[in-house]
Structure formats: structure tokens, C-alpha cells
């Protein structure tokens, strides 16, 4: 077997040294009858590389990948161009096959990268500090809720209707098991929420999303003041990190904690995972922050170096007193994020954001001109909501059958509580720099036909 | 050459990514347009590539040498897996596409589920958890949901003191209080101690088997029986499943659920700390409350996304379907090895650990008697009186060209050194490690403490001041004061 | 522009240091009127990465790649499975972006790899020494002819009908310009050549191919003796390196020089280039060998190390007295070869060869059973010739239109002199480990239909 | 850690590539089946990967630092190009497929040809040559064929003594005798000397422009006229085209043909010594004898492979169509830069060389006055009396973290040091190089010769004994004697 370097002779010699007659003898602590040979498993035997590749390729070809035609699906994952250098670099053995940098002297590559990641996230979100990544945006949102509960010693979290349905479901589930009350405002396609009506003296945090799931962008300054006036924290979720290049940062608008999905930078869609959870906050909340942190220090010769730090917050030191149970981060995805943002730089991030916004704006105008279609949003970044005037899910399916992935019918999503009638006719459309004018025309034409039918 | 931070290399006027011009369009940002600069540095592509190539060269990795981190399972990461994960049908696929357009991805999930359930003997599975600790949480949620469903909500979770820190942390997150129980002299759970701790308010006992001392919990069946007797569930921490995969079915050991670390047992890369993937398998006893996603098959053979058992008693664990990029890698790995290869792999891993344990015992002090499973544990008694600590000993390994073993874990052993070679190291590589460690042990005993205290000397950095880092945390770059002043 | 790190400010400062008013001023030695701006070039301006990728992808999709369906084309390039690790490793910056190892102290990676390559090639071919690669098999054959002329001080080279038509054309062209007489035997689909009839006292070398272009494998021992008796050298070309795992080595059969195409190990088809030219010979001819050589030595501390050596044969030292004009080798392709052969090892190379042969043997039986088809070869490795009894070129085209790439119609090839009538009906079919039984059935069925039509 | 040869790591019983079993089939090998073992070592995949990762770590590369090898043009190699070259429509394509199935590849060749002809102002092209020297040969063959076609076969080729060694070697290969002419005091061809050497038996004059001293041959038009006057052809060595691309059209300089190194000017990677690609462009004067392959376009817009001009007076240069893998990379590069980017790139390359020349002149001795083109040349007169040679100076650069410059070339300058920074280095990187070189020059003059003689000290190897290697060539591994004895 190609991955196993021991030969029969090696095994015999090693067993001799160990003093065991056979490998099975080393399993003598396994209860009788429970140590099996291969026959006990109704599974295939090993295969050569090209056979496995062929089988996996067959699966890959059984899906319609995003690049196969017009594509407008967003909803928390966005199809952006990732420069070839990013994937090249994260495949370097030294990044790909290293472990968590517990031995900093021989892990400065990973550590300095994480330090740069933390800085980039802090800059983009307008916050003081960021951690070295969490699993994804949805679990980061849940962690933020729990952190707010720890900080405020209150036990209720309010989740706005602008928040991604999946994020809502994750927050409700995770906080629910932790014994925290979760007040979910209904889905809010028209940004009409009066979220403050749900905030009371027991509220630890209000979680909003910007741009919202339906695309709205909001100035959160007033909301932040109102939340703070109630003694609660404002948590802002950002599911499209590219928007931070065009929209005022959550930090500047008064957020206490910013969580986000960083997939847009450096990471492919990959069917939704792995991605990279962003988590940033104010310095004063640092020690209540979950997740890994990388910090600057000096070595025995006085040279600058980086280490994992403040691990007294973490489970491997604090066990049941830890700020979170998180052990694994999104290291490699964070590395990809860091490299892509480094390549873009100030100019690139702002240009990319402007390009996305302009293309989306043009596409919205074009699609709103299709008879029967109404543009729901007065404001948006690169994703907006259309009202088709009829149930959108069947339309989406028929367009998919024609080779066009038109977007998301929100009524079909887990976690999207709200006015079912109002939701049923909506279509959430994302337009990134990879969408061409031809793609928009193709969608407009097909949509016109479907709606005329 | 030292490599500055990327922020120290930027100059305005450069671009690293060329983009088409922005077309004229109506702004829809309203009043929210960004007002100030972000503060990111501008570099050209060649500079960025060189920066990260140079940084990478400061890392040790499994591809550059043996990485015997106990409990971390640093095995070889096949390159086929990387190629497969990047096939456009997996990498360029969105989970919110219509189900008719994601059949291949669902097929991978279905086949992966099948492999994992057959290997563990379990009845149900969720692929959603993003990592092992997330899987623990999912499993505990199911346990809580099961108790709640039968009107028997419970409070306590019992965890041996040798367990990973994630076990108690996850239990607390799930609303439980945690009780830690000490192990026996031989590094295992004591059935009597456990029984004494059990009671009707105990929701679950969490057990890692093989445990973090690298030993198989030979009383696992008795423990299971005791746990079940009080109406509690038996949670399996599958972090060490790699020692027994293809040989032992955890369901037969009495576990009601168990998470599996795809990045340990099934070779997906660690990537400097993640991403991971932590599917959870469930026995019949918990199948009725297993969380989603759940992939089914329609009459026409197409895959479906089915409703979750128990009416969603355990809700959504994570947005979308889980770590697909890890699923494709793990499935490619399992197909490559097959049941025969997996059987051989676990055996080779155990053989290698025992070989190290026996050979290293010439100079080092094993914490417990064997046989070891996939890893072997030493305490620091062989260093008594040498002035060399476990930390010093580990740092000295760096100068010998090896990554250190896991230090000071598990907590139950003084100055613990936990060594896990895995099955993908050759005998020559194992012998090199043995020679280096024996030589270091002899030098420690010969009074060369100064050398150990000075280690590492041949690494990109000498020992780093972790206390300073924690006392005065610098967690991000900030522009130098004069630059800020100039900008004002 | 993303590849250019100088900023406007950098340029201004550098011009100041240089004392030039503008970059154009540095071109003052260019004759008047011949220094142009961009307007002088009717070409496009620069584009972003994803735009370029899209344009190149359009070209890539305009071809029918080998993996798109049944594929039986060989003729000097073979579609084998290359393990993913090979391509991963050769893309490492340290291999990909290094120069020729002129500074051995910081190029031991490339040098040791080349030393291992030379050893592998020597072992596979059964020769004493091999060089560090030439451009490809065809130019290696021409180099062998010229080397034989240098060694024997004779001026004629005989090329057998078994040799690949393109190789024949290259040898004739290159040796012709060098003033060497080339005697080309006609194409030899049935291995009936009496090549010795062309060998005389003025003959420097006889070049044969084994397995031949049409697939025949021959025991060359008798031929070698006869060639040597005439005072000439036997040059054996091998275009399918995998065959060396199953067939007695050319060295063991008496070859003086072995040239070959190494693409089968480690390299994709890549439309025929770049590939890797193999060149091996006897120790006694070492100093007449063309191309780069890597040798073992010691460093100032006495440690083993590797350097480029015997460069007094080469053009950068000897100029017009060099053994060849070659400067660039196939370094990276040779690295891929080395890695793949290292992965295969003794067991893998022989197994792969046996697998190719067995699958080809079964396929030949199956295809020979198609009415109207005759198997021309009594012996072959993984490629054989069928006689279709009618012109093969139109059949190949029609099968291609049906999605099956059936092989090569040799009559269409440049350099294939011979009996046109006999050649016209032939089809050369290659079967590697990547050809499935289904592929063979598909070809057999389609061929039966075409021939029945 | 030292890395043994792969042959020293093999153990029978391992496999690095799993393959399906061999089906039963009639052997068709006749009597030729291999009798003995090949002698290759058996390793598992993880061992092979680690071996080559470790070897790679002993290499310097453009991605790890500045690589100022004059005349070699070590510019950044874009990763996009690698991605493009691996698209299945290019990488998994066979040149002997029917023309209808290779339209995309032919399209790439057609567009690449178009770019190269427009950039050079030339009329015809062949993409076949595998490298620059191969291109030289192709160009000379065309010249010979043109002379032969008009019944005027000629014997001599004139080459300046500063030329690359490939020039005379290629001319000899093409059946010519070579005459070398000395340059002027200012590093260029002397028109009078050249004219004196010309005659009716001269077939061609080969000129590199910019030349290997990094200077533009300002009399190129006068030279061209003199060459043409005697009925000879003017061959352009385009190795240094990168200095003038997008600014100067070689056709206007009077060249009849010129080869282009795609791996220099157009960013395809050097790969440790190749592969290269050396297309040749031809002016109208030689278009009638240009060799193939030649891509045409049919009325329906499809691409065709056309007959070669001149009835094949120059025959096939190489099997198949040339280095497609380099064509795709070079075309991706040209499309990325565009005419504007190419113009900027050549200007930046020239600016960087002049900047280095001026700044280094503080301590080092330029061989000629500027302006330099893409590279700058120094002689070793600044080291007179220091006991430090050009070689010592170069090796000392290694310890400073830089790859040395080209040494002892061109031959026309004593102890030559030829420095080519390229346009893909930042000003910061150039300044670092300047600082290091000036410091080294000062240390040499300050009498620190011993440090230079001992260099390099911080490389994977110290200075290697090249004399020993040449005197007793060991060109391959052979099994140790005892192993061979044991096997007998």
C-alpha cells in the first residue's frame, strides 16, 4: 500500500524488538471477540490512485459547478476570483502539512501569517483586535452571543431579521443548549425591523447582519447607540467580506463584536466548507474572546518573533472554564485569506468592492426591467432581492434546468422564519466580478420567459 | 534574511491584482460608503509570493520530517486528496444550489457516511461538525435531546482527568456541569471510581479510547454497562480512532455516539491548525435525535436532503453542509486504503508506537506498561536530577532535526512526553528518531544541561518569551508612531 | 500592473539617482525613430488574471482532450497516470523557479535530483552513464547520430524503418545541415527490414527503435553484433520508456547509445512538448556525449555534494568546439521523471509495464476480432498496428467525430516514407493502463460499424 | 539533516504506486522479456514526497530571493501561467489527434505567433525550437537554405567575441566555420572590424542586441547594411529581447531573423535548467524558407496545419509542434501585461539595471559606460590587490542571502560580473542588494580576504571540489561493493 512504508521484514524485526508474536497481540486489551479482521467490514479493498481519481471525478462531474454557466447564488458564500498564487502558496508543504504552531521556534511561518491575518481582520472590520479564525461565520456568530453573555452577565440574545437564516438557526441551537434565551426577529426582507423593541434590561447582545441576508446595507450608528444605551452589546455579522472594502466598517459604526465569513477572500465555494470564521472585538473584551490568538514577542536573542498567546482562555489549559471549546481553527483557510488580501492591498480591496457594487447595481437595473419583477432593495452591495410576484422556488428550479443558477429562494431555507407569503415570491441574487454582462442578459431573458409563461 | 511583516513592505501605487475598470453605475450604498482608508499595504504579486514562500520556509512540516506529536496524528497527507478536493465539481460548487445540481456532492456525503458507519458499526451519522470539539458538542446535544425527550433532563457529565480539554469545555457549552475522575495507576479509568461517581443526574460519561495515555481502556464494556445502567449515555471521543480503525467497531464497545477527526484518522491536512472536520456517528440508542444534514436516496436513485430525526430536537450546527473539502479528501483516502489498507494502517501505527516505547525505554521512563496503542507516553523521571525539563528536552529535539513530541499532556503524568509516530513513517525514520532521543537522554544524564537550556540553536528563532507575549499582548501590527504623526 | 513592483515614486527616485530625465532617455543608443511607444504595436493592453484565465480556458475547451473519452493515440507520447505528488513537487518554487545549478552550494536540490535521474536512466537503459536530459527523444536521436560520427570519424548514419517518422525527419534535417549522409530505410510496418544491407565501411551508426514505431519489439543482440562487426555503433531509440520495465534493456542487447523520450514517466502529453530527452551511453564514449552532466564530489568540509561537471564538452566553455550547441535541458521534466520513477520503484515500473502489456494484448485480440481488421504485429509492447483493409485516415476522422480517438493513421505523418499503398490502410493503436475495457469495447463497436459501412 | 540518495533508501517490499492486478493475457514480448532486475529502489509515497521536499529545500529560487544572474533573466514566474498550462485542454492533449480535435491548441499557437510577429515586426515564425540554441540552429538553417536556393552556398559565420557560446556552436552544427571578431573599447561591435571580416563567403553575422555586456549596439543599422551588402543575412540573438520588448522592433534594426527565449522575456519558468522554448521570427527576406510548423486558418475560421514555405528546404526541427507548455504560459503572460505592460516591463528592467550600475559604482568598477540596458557589467579591477577573486566575491554573496551574479561572462571582460535584476524586483529589494554588495566590496578592500575564501558558510554545502568531479567523474550511483558481493 503506497502510503505505508513498513515492509514485511520491517514488521517482523519490529515485532521481535517489541516481543510480540504478531500485531494482533498488541491489541490484547481489546475485549474478546471485538478484534476483527477485514472480513468484518463490508467495504471495498484499497485501490490505485488513478482508480480512486476516476471514481471521485465521476462524483465531481455529477454536479453542475458554478463555473459551468450563469451563476447568481450568494447567501453567505460568494464566487470570487482567487488568484492562482493563493492556491499555489497554501499547497506548499510547509503550510499545508504543519500542525498548530505549538512549537513557535519552528512555526514562525504559520505564526507570522496568523499575526498578519489578525491585523488584516482588525483593519477591515475597524476593530482593535481579531482572533486567528474560527470555523465559519455562523459558529462565530454563536460564539459572539456567548461572549456577550459572559461580558454582560445577562442571558438573552436578540437576533435581527437581517441575519442569514442558517446563522439564526445555529445561534438558536447552540445558545439554546447553553441555556441562553434567543429572541429571533422574523426574516426582514424590507429592512422594516424595529429591533430595539425586543431589547430589554436582560439583553446581552443584539446580533445584526450588514449587508443583510436580503442585501440591505444599513448605517448602524444609531442602532449601536441605542443598544449601548440599554447596556447591551452590538454584534455585527458580515457574510460578504468584500463589502468591507466599500461600506463603512462595523467598528466605525459602533459594533462591539464583529463576526464574519471570510470565504470571499482566498477561498473557493467548496460547497460551503471549510471556510473561515472572522471574529474581532474591542481591546477591553480581549480576555473574553474565544479562539486562538497569536502575539508578538522576542526570542532569547532579542529578535522579534510570534507565539500563540493568552491561551489561559482556551480549553486545553482551562478545560471547563474556557471561553470556548474550540481547539481547531480554520488555519489554512485563514492563510488563503491573508495571502489574497495581501495581494489585493488597499487599492485592490477597494477596487474589487467597487467593481462588485457597480456590476450588481447594473444587474439590478437590468433585472428590475423584466416584466413582473420588482427590486425589493433600495440599498445593497453586491446582492439584492427581487420580488417575482409568484413563488420563486419553482422558477429557480426551472432556470436551473435551463443551466442558469439564478439565486436563492429564501423561503426554502432552514431558519428563515417570517411571513411565508411575503417570502415565497422573493429571489436573492448575487453579482460578483465574475458575472459577465452576458450572464445577466441570459438570466434576464430566461426570467422574462419563465414569468411570461 | 529576516522577513518583515507584509504591512512593513507596502508602498502606495502598487497593485497585486489587476481588475477591470469599474463601470459607471448608480451607487446603492446610501450613506454607508466607507469614509477612511482601510490601512492595508500595497504590494505587487511577486513580492507577496516571495513573502509567503519565505515565511513557509520557517515552518517545520510533516513533509520535511518526522512530526511525533502525540494525540495529533501527524500522518502523511496524500497529494491525491488535494487534487480531488480541487475538482471544480467539488471546489466550485455552492450548497444553496438546487438539489438537482449538487448530486455529486451529496453522493460523496452519502458514501462517506456509509464508510464511517460501517467502520464504527453505528446506525446514524451527522457530517456537519467543523472539527472534533464541534463534534463533541453535537454528540452531547443529542444526548441532552434524548434525555429531554424522555422527560429526564440531567445535569452532570463525567470526564476522566486524562481527557482532552475539549471534553469538559464542550460539556459546559452544552449546559452541563463537569466532574473529573482520576485514573488508575495503570493509566486507565477505574471502574469502581466511575461507578461511585455515577448517579441518576449523570447525562453522559465521555471516554477517549484508546485514551490519551496511548492505552486501550480494557474495561470499556464494564464501563458502558455501568453508564447505561444509570440511564446515562456513553460518549466516545474518537480522536484516537486511528489506532483501531478497520479492527474494532466502537459500537461494539458500547458507545452511544462518537466523533471522528477526519484530519487525524483519515489523513486530511492540519494546515497549521485547521480546518478540521468532526463527523459524529450514533448508535441506535441516539439515532432518533441525530442532527442533520442527512442525505437520503429517492426512488429514482437521486440523492435527497432529508428531514432531521427527532423533528430537529438538535438544530443546525453550522451553516450549509459541513466541511465538504475534508469529506472529499477523507473519502479519497478511504477508497485508496480500503478495508485492508485501513486494517494494516492501524496495525502499523500501533506497532510503530510499541517499537518506540520499547527501544526508548533504554534511557527514558515509560509512564505505564504497554502494550501501547498508536502512541507511547513517557514521564520525566528519567530526567530527575539532570536539571533538564521536559520542555528543554523537547526543544533539544529541534536541533536534532525533529519536531518535538507533545509535552505536558496528558496532565495525569508528570512532565509528560507523548510520542505518536503514525503508520506513515519508515523503520529507518523511526530508528533515526530513537537514536536521536537516546543520545539526548544520555547527554542529559551526562550533565549537559546547558546545551538543553540553550536549545534550540539551529531554528529560525531561539526560545521565545511567551510570558512577555501574554503580559503585554501585541496582537496586531500598528503603524509606527512617526508614520501616524506624518499622516495626521 | 500586478507583476511590476516599481511605483511611480520609485521610478522618479531611481531616475534621479541614475541622472536621467525619463526611462526613454536610457534608450538613447537606439537609432532615431526606432524607439516606440505602445501605439506602434497593434496589440491588446494588459488584462486582469481572471480575464486572461477566461480567454485561455476558451482555447482549452476548444480541443477534445484525451481524457474526454476513449483514447488510443500513442506514437511517441503516451497517456499514463502521473501521481498527483509528482506535479505537486515540481511546482514547488524551489524546483520550478530555480535556474541551471551553476552555483552548486545553493542548488543541491536540483543537482542531487539530476544525479538520481542520470542513475535511473542508466539503470533503465542498461547503460553505464546518462546525461541530465536533452530536449526530447527526436533531437536526442539526432545528437546520437552526430556523436557516432565524432566517435567513428565516419560520415554516414543509417536510420531503420522502425524509427518514428518525426524522429527520421529530425535526424535527416539536422544531420543533413551538418553535412552528414543520412540513409533512411523505408517505413517498416512488418519488421522486414534488412538494415545491414545499408551498412558499409563509411557507416558511423545504425539507428533503430525498439519497440518500433509500428509496435514490434525485437531482440537486437544479433543486429548489435553485426553493426559492431562493421565498426559502426548501434543507436537504440526508445519512445515508450515504460517498455523498459518489461523488455530487455537496450544495453543488455548491445546498444552503444540509447536515446529516448522520457515523457511517459512523470509528464503529461502537453501536446508534445515539453518532454524529456533521454541519452545514455557506454563509459568509454563519455567525453563525446552531448548535454549537461551532474557528478558527485565533496565540499570543503568533506561532505558529499553534487556539481555540474565535464563542462569542457559544452558550448559555454568550448564554443565552436563543443559536442553540441545545447544549453537548455529539460530540467523540470527530468525532475518529474525522477520523482515518478522513484515512486514506482522496481516493483512499480515492472508492474506498470506488465499491466500495459497485458491490457494491450487483450485489446489487440478484441480489435483483431472486428471483421475486416487484421493485427499486423506478431510482437508488441503496448502499441500495435492494425490493417483496416481500407484507407485508415478517413476512418480515424469519423471515429473522432464520434468521440473516439482511435490511434494514428501513419500515412498522414511527416517523415513516413515507404510503400504508400501498404501504409494507407494501417492504424497504430496504443493501450496504456488508463484505457478501460469499456473504451476498448467502444472502439471495437465503432470500428465494426465504420468498416461495415 | 543530510538527505541520502533515493537509491540508499529503498527496501524491497514497499510500493509507492498502487496499480490494479495484471490481467491474464498472452505475452507478445517474444524473446525480449527483461531477464534481470532494473535495480531501482522501492519506497512508499510518503518517503518519496519527503525526499524531494527536503531536496528542494536545498535550492535557492527566484521565489526565495533576488536572483541577479546576468543574461539569464530570472524574473518572477506568474502562477497563473502554471494554472493555465495545466488545463486539460492543453496538458492532456496529443499532437497526433485529428486536426479537428486540437483546434484550441492551434489557436494558442496562432495567437502567440501573432503577438511575437507584431512585437518584432517580422513576417514569419516557427514555434518549433525547443530552446534558444535550437532556435539559433533553426535560423541558421533557414539562412543556409536561402543561400542554397539561390545557388550561393556560403561557408563562414561571423560572431562577436562577446556572444553566447551557443552562437558559434550552432553555426558549426549547421555546417559553417566560425569567425570571432573582437569588440571595441566601449563593449560593442566595431563596424570597421566587422566590415574587414565580411566577404562573399560569409553566410551570416550573428549579433546579440542588447549585447551580453548589457549595451545596445548603437551601430546596428550600419552593421545590418554592411551584412546585407555582401549578400549575407543578419541573425539576431534575441536572448536579451526583454530589454526592448514593446519599444523596439528588431525587424527595423535590420535583422533577417531572430530567436526569442520564452523562458527569459516571457516569464516561463527555468525549472532548474529547462525546459525552454525558442521560437524564431523571420523577416520577409527569409520568410520563403522558414521551417514549420505553420498554423493557418481555413475559410470556415478553423485552424489548419499548413505546408512549410520553401517546400521544406528546412525540414523538421523536433517531433510534434514545439513546447506547447511554454506557449500557453507565454501567451498568458503577454495577455496579462499587454502592450502597455510589456512596454513598462522593459523600461523598468532597464531602469533597475542602470540604478544598480550607478549605485554600485561607488565601490565596484563598471566595465563600460552606460546607459546599460537590462543588465550591468563590472570587471574585477576593484578587487585588484585584495586577494579576492570574482568567484570569491560571488560566493560571499550567498552568505548575504543572495544568489550570485553571472561570473566570468562575457569573456571580453576580466573577472566579469554581470548583474541582471529584472523588472520584477522592488526598489527595496534592489537597495538591499546594493547595500550587501557595497558592504562586501568594502570588506574586500579592507583586507578581509579570508572571509571571502571561506564563503559560503551558511549554505547547504560549502565550496564544492569541481576539479575532483571532473577528474574522477562519478556520474551515477552504484551499489556498494559489499551489497553487490552479497547479491552474487
Amino acid at each position: 500500500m503506497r502510503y505505508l512504508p513498513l515492509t514485511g521484514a520491517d514488521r517482523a524485526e519490529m515485532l521481535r524488538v517489541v516481543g510480540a508474536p504478531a500485531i494482533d497481540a498488541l491489541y490484547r486489551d481489546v475485549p474478546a471477540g471485538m478484534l476483527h479482521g477485514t472480513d468484518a467490514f463490508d467495504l471495498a479493498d484499497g485501490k490505485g490512485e488513478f482508480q480512486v481519481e476516476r471514481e471521485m471525478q465521476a462524483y465531481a462531474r455529477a454536479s453542475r459547478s458554478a463555473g459551468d454557466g450563469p451563476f447568481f447564488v450568494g447567501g453567505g458564500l460568494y464566487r470570487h476570483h482567487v488568484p492562482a498564487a493563493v492556491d499555489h502558496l497554501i499547497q506548499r508543504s510547509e503550510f499545508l502539512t504543519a500542525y498548530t504552531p505549538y512549537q513557535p521556534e519552528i512555526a514562525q511561518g504559520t505564526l507570522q501569517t496568523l499575526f498578519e491575518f489578525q491585523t488584516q481582520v482588525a483593519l477591515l472590520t475597524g476593530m482593535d483586535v481579531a482572533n486567528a479564525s474560527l470555523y465559519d461565520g455562523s459558529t462565530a456568530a454563536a460564539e459572539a452571543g456567548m461572549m456577550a453573555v459572559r461580558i454582560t452577565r445577562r442571558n438573552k440574545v436578540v437576533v435581527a431579521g437581517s441575519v442569514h437564516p442558517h446563522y439564526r438557526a445555529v445561534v438558536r441551537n447552540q445558545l439554546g443548549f447553553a441555556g441562553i434565551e434567543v429572541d429571533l426577529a422574523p426574516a426582514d426582507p424590507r429592512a422594516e425591523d424595529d429591533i430595539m423593541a425586543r431589547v430589554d434590561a436582560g439583553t446581552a447582545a443584539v446580533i445584526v447582519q450588514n449587508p443583510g441576508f436580503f442585501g440591505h446595507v444599513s448605517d448602524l450608528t444609531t442602532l449601536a447607540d441605542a443598544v449601548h444605551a440599554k447596556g447591551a452589546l452590538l454584534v455585527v455579522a458580515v457574510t460578504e467580506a468584500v463589502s468591507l472594502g466599500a461600506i463603512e466598517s462595523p467598528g466605525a459604526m459602533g459594533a462591539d463584536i464583529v463576526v464574519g465569513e471570510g470565504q470571499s477572500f482566498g477561498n473557493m465555494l467548496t460547497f460551503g466548507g471549510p471556510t473561515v470564521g472572522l471574529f474581532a472585538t474591542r481591546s477591553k473584551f480581549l480576555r473574553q474572546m474565544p479562539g486562538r490568538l497569536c502575539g508578538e514577542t522576542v526570542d532569547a536573542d532579542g529578535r522579534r518573533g510570534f507565539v500563540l498567546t493568552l491561551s489561559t482562555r482556551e480549553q486545553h489549559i482551562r478545560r471547563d472554564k474556557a471561553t470556548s471549546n474550540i481547539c481547531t481553527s480554520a488555519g489554512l483557510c485563514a492563510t488563503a485569506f491573508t495571502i489574497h488580501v495581501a495581494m489585493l492591498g488597499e487599492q485592490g480591496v477597494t477596487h474589487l468592492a467597487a467593481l462588485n457594487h457597480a456590476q450588481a447595481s447594473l444587474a439590478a437595473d437590468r433585472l428590475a426591467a423584466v416584466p413582473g419583477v420588482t427590486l425589493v432593495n433600495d440599498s445593497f452591495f453586491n446582492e439584492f432581492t427581487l420580488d417575482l410576484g409568484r413563488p420563486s422556488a419553482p422558477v429557480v428550479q426551472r432556470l436551473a434546468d435551463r443551466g442558469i443558477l439564478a439565486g436563492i429562494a429564501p423561503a426554502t431555507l432552514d431558519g428563515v422564519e417570517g411571513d411565508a407569503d411575503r417570502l415565497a415570491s422573493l429571489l436573492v441574487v448575487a453579482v460578483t466580478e465574475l458575472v459577465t454582462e452576458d450572464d445577466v442578459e441570459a438570466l434576464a431573458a430566461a426570467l422574462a420567459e419563465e414569468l411570461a409563461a | 534574511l529576516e522577513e518583515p511583516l507584509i504591512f512593513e513592505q507596502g508602498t502606495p501605487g502598487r497593485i497585486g491584482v489587476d481588475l477591470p475598470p469599474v463601470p459607471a453605475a448608480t451607487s446603492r450604498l446610501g450613506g454607508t460608503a466607507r469614509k477612511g482608508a482601510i490601512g492595508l499595504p500595497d504590494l505587487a504579486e511577486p513580492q507577496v509570493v516571495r513573502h509567503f514562500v519565505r515565511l513557509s520556509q520557517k515552518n517545520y512540516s510533516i513533509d520535511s520530517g518526522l512530526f511525533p506529536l502525540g494525540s495529533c496524528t501527524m500522518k502523511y497527507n496524500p497529494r491525491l486528496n488535494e487534487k480531488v478536493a480541487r475538482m471544480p465539481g467539488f471546489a466550485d460548487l455552492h450548497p444553496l444550489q438546487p438539489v438537482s445540481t449538487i448530486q455529486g456532492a451529496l453522493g460523496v456525503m452519502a458514501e462517506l457516511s456509509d464508510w464511517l458507519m460501517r467502520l464504527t458499526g453505528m446506525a446514524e451519522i451527522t457530517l456537519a461538525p467543523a472539527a472534533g470539539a464541534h463534534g463533541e458538542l453535537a454528540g452531547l446535544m443529542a444526548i441532552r435531546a434524548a434525555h429531554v425527550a424522555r422527560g429526564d433532563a440531567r445535569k452532570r457529565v463525567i470526564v476522566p482527568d486524562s481527557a482532552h480539554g475539549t471534553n469538559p469545555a464542550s460539556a459546559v457549552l452544552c449546559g452541563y456541569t463537569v466532574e473529573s475522575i482520576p485514573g488508575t495507576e495503570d493509566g486507565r479509568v477505574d471502574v469502581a471510581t466511575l461507578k461511585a461517581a455515577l448517579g441518576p443526574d449523570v447525562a453522559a460519561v465521555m471516554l477517549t479510547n484508546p485514551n490519551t495515555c496511548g492505552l486501550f481502556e480494557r474495561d470499556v464494556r464494564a464501563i458502558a454497562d455501568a453508564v447505561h445502567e444509570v440511564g446515562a449515555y456513553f460518549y466516545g471521543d474518537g480522536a484516537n480512532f486511528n489506532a483501531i480503525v478497520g479492527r474494532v467497531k466502537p459500537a461494539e464497545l458500547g458507545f452511544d455516539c462518537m466523533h471522528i477527526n477526519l484530519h487525524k484518522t483519515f489523513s486530511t491536512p492540519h494546515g497549521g491548525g485547521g480546518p478540521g472536520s468532526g463527523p459524529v456517528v450514533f448508535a441506535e440508542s441516539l439515532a432518533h435525535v441525530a442532527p442533520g444534514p442527512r442525505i437520503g436516496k429517492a426512488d429514482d436513485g437521486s440523492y435527497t436532503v432529508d428531514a432531521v430525526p427527532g423533528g430537529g430536537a438538535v438544530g443546525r450546527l453550522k451553516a450549509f453542509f459541513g466541511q465538504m473539502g475534508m469529506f472529499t479528501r477523507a473519502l479519497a483516502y478511504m477508497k485508496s486504503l480500503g478495508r485492508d489498507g485501513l486494517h494494516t494502517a492501524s496495525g502499523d501505527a500501533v506497532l510503530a508506537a510499541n517499537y518506540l516505547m520499547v527501544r526508548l525505554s533504554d534511557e527514558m521512563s515509560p509512564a505505564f506498561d504497554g502494550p501501547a496503542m498508536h502512541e507511547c507516553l513517557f514521564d520525566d523521571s528519567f530526567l530527575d536530577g539532570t536539571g533538564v525539563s521536559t520542555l528543554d528536552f523537547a526543544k533539544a529535539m529541534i536541533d536534532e532535526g525533529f519536531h518535538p513530541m507533545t509535552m505536558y499532556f496528558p496532565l495525569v503524568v508528570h512532565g509528560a512526553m507523548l510520542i505518536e509516530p503514525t503508520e506513515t513513517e519508515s523503520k529507518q525514520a523511526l530508528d533515526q528518531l530513537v537514536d536521536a532521543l537516546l543520545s539526548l537522554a544520555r547527554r542529559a544524564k551526562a550533565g549537559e544541561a546547558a546545551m538543553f537550556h540553550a536549545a534550540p540553536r539551529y531554528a529560525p528563532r531561539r526560545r521565545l518569551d511567551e510570558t512577555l507575549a501574554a503580559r503585554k499582548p501585541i496582537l496586531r501590527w500598528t503603524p509606527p508612531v512617526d508614520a501616524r504623526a506624518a499622516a495626521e
Side-chain angles (χ1 to χ4, degrees), chain B residues 113-135:
Chain B
S113 297
D114 189 57
W115 277 85
L116 294 177
M117 288 191 289
R118 288 178 194 269
L119 286 171
T120 55
M122 297 284 194
E124 193 49 91
I125 189 169
T126 174
L127 296 179
H134 203 210

Side-chain angles (χ1 to χ4, degrees), chain A residues 23 27 30 35, chain B residues 73 75 209-211 214-216 238-248 265 342-343 345-351 372-375 420 423:
Chain A
I23 287 176
Y27 287 91
V30 174
L35 185 65
Chain B
T73 313
K75 61 172 71 175
N209 193 18
N211 69 24
L215 301 169
F216 194 91
N240 298 336
F241 186 44
N242 59 305
I244 56 172
V245 62
R247 293 172 175 267
V248 175
T265 302
L342 291 167
H343 183 88
S346 54
D348 282 359
V350 167
L351 177 59
M373 289 283 101
H374 58 295
E375 57 195 355
E420 178 174 11
E423 70 280 8

Side-chain angles (χ1 to χ4, degrees), chain A residues 90 117 133 262 265-267 273-276 330-338, chain B residues 271 274-275:
Chain A
I90 66 165
F117 172 80
S133 81
F265 290 120
N267 290 275
T275 58
V276 47
L332 200 66
C333 301
T335 303
F337 177 109
T338 311

Side-chain angles (χ1 to χ4, degrees), chain A residues 4 6-16 23, chain B residues 344 348 351:
Chain A
L4 304 177
L6 295 186
T7 66
D10 291 337
R11 293 189 188 102
E13 167 63 12
M14 291 164 75
L15 283 168
R16 194 191 60 74
I23 287 176
Chain B
T344 308
D348 282 359
L351 177 59

Side-chain angles (χ1 to χ4, degrees), chain B residues 454-468:
Chain B
R457 287 167 301 170
Y458 306 119
R461 280 290 177 276
R462 306 219 27 216
R463 263 191 241 189
L464 288 148
D465 189 341
E466 307 204 9
T467 312
L468 174 69

Side-chain angles (χ1 to χ4, degrees), chain A residues 81-247:
Chain A
H81 173 69
V82 178
V86 175
D87 194 48
H88 171 79
L89 288 165
I90 66 165
Q91 287 196 67
R92 281 183 61 80
S93 293
E94 295 87 342
F95 283 130
L96 183 76
T97 76
Y99 198 71
T100 304
Y102 289 137
Q103 296 289 344
E105 297 87 354
I106 48 174
Q108 287 295 303
T110 293
L111 286 161
Q112 184 169 334
T113 302
L114 293 180
F115 188 82
E116 294 179 353
F117 172 80
Q118 291 173 182
T119 306
Q120 288 173 342
V121 174
L123 288 169
L124 284 163
T125 56
M127 303 301 282
D128 299 328
V129 289
N131 73 11
S133 81
L134 298 175
Y135 306 140
D136 76 338
S138 68
T139 53
E143 291 285 349
M146 292 191 294
M147 175 168 149
V149 167
R150 286 195 299 275
I151 291 170
T152 61
R153 295 165 194 266
R154 299 175 176 184
N155 204 42
K156 174 177 146 183
V157 170
V158 173
V159 184
S162 59
V163 176
H164 191 295
H166 283 185
Y167 285 43
R168 294 158 54 93
V170 170
V171 169
R172 178 175 53 187
N173 185 56
Q174 188 162 333
L175 270 58
F177 276 99
I180 299 167
E181 183 190 345
V182 180
D183 182 356
L184 289 170
D188 182 28
R190 284 171 185 77
E192 302 157 335
D193 255 6
D194 177 15
I195 196 73
M196 285 309 296
R198 299 170 183 271
V199 179
D200 57 28
T203 302
V206 174
I207 306 181
V208 300
Q209 181 178 315
N210 200 35
F213 174 75
F214 298 93
H216 292 279
V217 286
S218 309
D219 184 343
L220 302 171
T221 319
T222 314
L223 176 66
D225 290 343
V227 169
H228 292 153
K230 291 275 189 182
L233 303 185
L234 178 63
V235 177
V236 178
V238 178
T239 63
E240 168 52 301
V242 170
S243 71
L244 296 168
I247 299 173

